[in-house]
Amino acid sequence: MRDFSAWIRTASHGWLDISSAVFLIFLLRGLRKMILMKQYPSGSQMLWWAVSLMRGWRTV
């Protein structure tokens, strides 16, 4: 995973690593689901995801 993260970092000129790339994928999928399908998560679910993402930020 470290090698893959390093490759992503090189390919994105230092803008992304594996954690931030996965975060962006989930963010875009979630926004698409909220905008196009009108499916919204509950407040507690959003808080749990935010804390989980912040806890694992830039660990690789």
Side-chain angles (χ1 to χ4, degrees), residues 9 14 19 31 37 41-42 50-51:
R9 189 180 316 251
S19 300
L31 287 173
M37 298 179 178
S42 67
V51 170

Side-chain angles (χ1 to χ4, degrees), residues 6-44:
W7 178 81
I8 290 174
R9 189 180 316 251
T10 303
S12 67
H13 304 289
W15 282 87
L16 299 172
D17 63 354
I18 190 76
S19 300
S20 56
V22 171
F23 166 75
L24 284 175
I25 291 169
F26 283 154
L27 178 69
L28 293 175
R29 285 181 51 102
L31 287 173
R32 185 180 69 102
K33 195 171 193 179
M34 286 172 36
I35 293 170
L36 296 178
M37 298 179 178
K38 305 286 190 232
Q39 294 178 353
Y40 301 102
S42 67
S44 59

